[in-house]
Amino acid sequence: MDIVQELLAGSRLALARAITAVENEYDEAAEIMQKVYPFTGKAQVIGITGPPGAGKSTLTDKLAKEYRRQEKTVGIVAVDPTSPFYGGAILGDRIRMNELTLDPGVFIRSMGTRGSLGGLARKTVDVIKIMDAFGKDIIFIETVGVGQSEVDVIKASDTIVVVLVPGQGDDIQAIKAGILEIGDIFAINKADYDGVERLNTELEMMLELNPNNALWRPLVKRTVASRGDGVEDLMQAINEHVEYLVTSGELIRRRSIRTKNELLLLINDHISKQVMDRISLGGELDSLVNSIEDHQQTPYNIVRNILAEILR
Amino acid sequence: MEKRIRVLVAKPGLDGHDRGAKVVARALRDAGFEVIYTGLRQTPEQIAEAALEEDVNVVAMSLLSGAHNTLFPKVVNLLKDKELENVLILGGGVIPDTDIPALKQAGVAEIFTPGTSTAAIVEFIKANVK
């Protein structure tokens, strides 16, 4: 049996190894994705994002347990940053999820960003597809701790939960662009801290001004993830959002945009790989650079010539 | 195609001292490895399952409670049961010299005791990872 057949038959080892092959872009990666793709599209994907230390891992752990109580199987992809200097990473999200490790209905995989800046790793979307094909009902993506503009999580999620904590800035922060625009649900975690009323009010005021509220007005929920407070309520909100996605047709719309973006990205990746393979042979890149410096060629006609040759 | 060495750093047993594990985790990170740190008081079953899900190349365990003769071999056997024979298994912590031969016999590739430089651990992993 090949690795995809094994994982479709339920092998956790095959699942783990298929993820590695795709993450590391081994030669067989494209074939794995090709075989897995027909089995995707069934899982409900929930993105969990927010600043570092807001409680994303703890909240993911507690939400996963709620879904397990309803006998749904759960996959978790937890992303942590890769060092820009050494290429290594400390992937520590499992620390908050140890009670899930021995549950055979849960599969957790940690990923380093490996240079991506949008809050996910470049291959996170593919890893979700593999878990989806494996048969997970619910898949959580936990992003790296984000600041304001790391919004790649929208490229992969049906529902996005933005986790915030009290005491992190005034109401101008709340009207800036970025992660506050992508939340379908806001979880105010550590809601036993000071400042929770103010944050709640500021969020509600910001959300009141959304132009699209007639369709879905994002919900604000309070949680204390470490104690499990409010988690059931939060899951209820996620379920409400899923119902909205399905009944309004928004799910189809979102997934269609995603399919389009993924296709464009794939085309982009393949063309740039071909170009790179072509010009990195035998130091041609350096001689092209020299020819620009010597005013023999411009970057523009070089690009035109290379593309003409490759797309011939 | 880029291979990235992935290491599970785990604390089996009941002691709560993870300064050493964290220093090693940091050194491995700086060596360019992806380090999955799972925190304190892991059972051998949890360590083996995490190693499977994360598809790691190395399992590095730190233990200061004295239970190494029981717990290290147990992890080795559980990894074998999961068809993870290729995983390099390392131990560290306060481990008497007299215990080391039996642990190696049981399948732990190397034991690093107090005073080991982190560079030595990095070198060992690079030289022996499969």
Side-chain angles (χ1 to χ4, degrees):
Chain A
M1 262 205 293
D2 81 351
I3 191 168
V4 175
Q5 283 173 313
E6 280 179 46
L7 84 86
L8 291 174
S11 162
R12 302 163 65 78
L13 184 61
L15 173 59
R17 293 195 170 152
I19 291 173
T20 304
V22 167
E23 187 181 23
N24 288 353
E25 301 181 52
Y26 291 161
D27 293 340
E28 63 267 33
E31 201 191 329
I32 289 173
M33 290 313 299
Q34 162 77 13
K35 287 183 181 165
V36 153
Y37 200 87
F39 300 94
T40 60
K42 287 166 290 186
Q44 178 189 337
V45 184
I46 303 168
I48 309 282
T49 192
K56 296 182 293 298
S57 301
T58 309
L59 207 52
T60 303
D61 172 68
K62 294 293 194 297
L63 282 169
K65 284 176 188 153
E66 286 293 327
Y67 281 103
R68 288 299 293 141
R69 247 170 246 135
Q70 302 187 346
E71 303 193 353
K72 306 247 193 195
T73 57
V74 173
I76 299 171
V77 185
V79 189
D80 264 333
T82 297
S83 159
F85 303 111
Y86 304 104
I90 302 272
L91 311 176
D93 293 321
R94 290 188 83 100
I95 296 172
R96 317 277 176 230
M97 303 179 188
N98 278 319
E99 287 171 27
L100 297 172
T101 301
L102 293 179
D103 179 344
V106 178
F107 192 100
I108 307 170
R109 182 64 174 242
S110 313
M111 297 182 83
T113 52
R114 300 189 181 179
S116 287
L117 298 174
L120 300 182
R122 214 160 71 81
K123 293 293 169 184
T124 300
V125 173
D126 288 347
V127 172
I128 288 158
K129 288 206 167 71
I130 300 171
M131 284 195 182
D132 184 354
F134 181 77
K136 291 300 181 195
D137 299 317
I138 308 286
I139 299 171
F140 290 98
I141 316 170
E142 188 194 328
T143 71
V144 304
V146 301
Q148 293 174 318
S149 62
E150 298 95 329
V151 296
D152 274 0
V153 69
I154 52 177
K155 294 179 189 162
S157 319
D158 299 321
T159 299
I160 293 173
V161 179
V162 175
V163 184
L164 298 170
V165 285
Q168 300 225 318
D170 63 17
D171 56 350
I172 295 300
Q173 301 300 333
I175 56 173
K176 287 185 182 171
I179 64 161
L180 291 180
E181 288 179 285
I182 65 170
D184 300 304
I185 296 160
F186 290 86
I188 302 180
N189 193 36
K190 309 190 188 184
D192 51 345
Y193 283 17
D194 280 348
V196 62
E197 294 299 340
R198 186 172 147 192
L199 175 58
N200 202 331
T201 309
E202 284 167 4
L203 274 175
E204 293 289 358
M205 284 171 65
M206 172 199 82
L207 294 171
E208 248 348 281
L209 300 172
N210 278 3
N212 302 323
N213 279 348
L215 300 168
W216 171 261
R217 163 70 154 79
L219 300 170
V220 180
K221 298 290 172 187
R222 299 184 189 187
T223 56
V224 183
S226 57
R227 297 202 300 248
D229 295 357
V231 174
E232 229 183 304
D233 205 25
L234 179 60
M235 189 181 71
Q236 191 57 44
I238 294 171
N239 290 340
E240 273 176 50
H241 183 252
V242 172
E243 205 184 312
Y244 150 75
L245 288 175
V246 172
T247 54
S248 66
E250 174 70 8
L251 186 65
I252 295 171
R253 199 187 69 87
R254 283 192 185 192
R255 288 193 173 180
S256 162
I257 294 173
R258 252 150 60 190
T259 306
K260 185 164 133 194
N261 288 337
E262 284 168 27
L263 179 62
L264 289 173
L265 194 67
L266 208 59
I267 292 171
N268 207 349
D269 276 1
H270 277 252
I271 293 179
S272 54
K273 186 173 179 303
Q274 281 196 41
V275 172
M276 288 315 290
D277 287 352
R278 160 76 178 69
I279 62 172
S280 37
L281 283 174
E284 193 181 342
L285 183 56
D286 290 335
S287 60
L288 289 173
V289 172
N290 285 339
S291 73
I292 296 169
E293 288 166 344
D294 297 344
H295 296 284
Q296 290 163 359
Q297 298 201 71
T298 70
Y300 311 100
N301 67 24
I302 291 176
V303 169
R304 205 178 311 130
N305 292 342
I306 290 173
L307 282 180
E309 185 187 319
I310 283 172
L311 299 173
R312 193 173 28 157
Chain B
M1 159 162 150
E2 54 164 334
K3 167 138 179 141
R4 189 86 53 130
I5 295 173
R6 285 167 69 86
V7 185
L8 185 78
V9 173
K11 281 281 305 167
L14 297 177
D15 73 275
H17 306 284
D18 65 349
R19 170 55 56 195
K22 283 175 176 159
V23 168
V24 170
R26 169 67 197 272
L28 299 182
R29 185 202 87 175
D30 291 347
F33 303 164
E34 285 186 341
V35 180
I36 295 105
Y37 184 56
T38 54
L40 295 170
R41 300 185 192 91
Q42 300 289 295
T43 64
E45 288 78 8
Q46 283 174 316
I47 292 169
E49 182 58 29
L52 180 142
E53 291 181 0
E54 300 289 353
D55 196 16
V56 292
N57 312 97
V58 183
V59 170
M61 294 178 282
S62 162
L63 194 148
L64 290 84
S65 71
H68 47 271
N69 288 333
T70 314
L71 296 176
F72 286 179
K74 210 167 166 189
V75 172
V76 173
N77 290 330
L78 286 166
L79 289 172
K80 264 189 208 141
D81 292 347
K82 292 179 185 288
E83 300 175 54
L84 300 173
E85 301 89 350
N86 282 336
V87 173
L88 183 70
I89 302 166
L90 308 176
V94 188
I95 292 163
D97 289 345
T98 48
D99 289 349
I100 293 176
L103 289 170
K104 286 192 174 177
Q105 187 67 36
V108 181
E110 190 55 274
I111 300 286
F112 298 99
T113 51
T116 310
S117 77
T118 53
I121 302 173
V122 169
E123 282 317 308
F124 187 87
I125 291 175
K126 283 184 175 162
N128 292 281
V129 72
K130 277 160 232 157

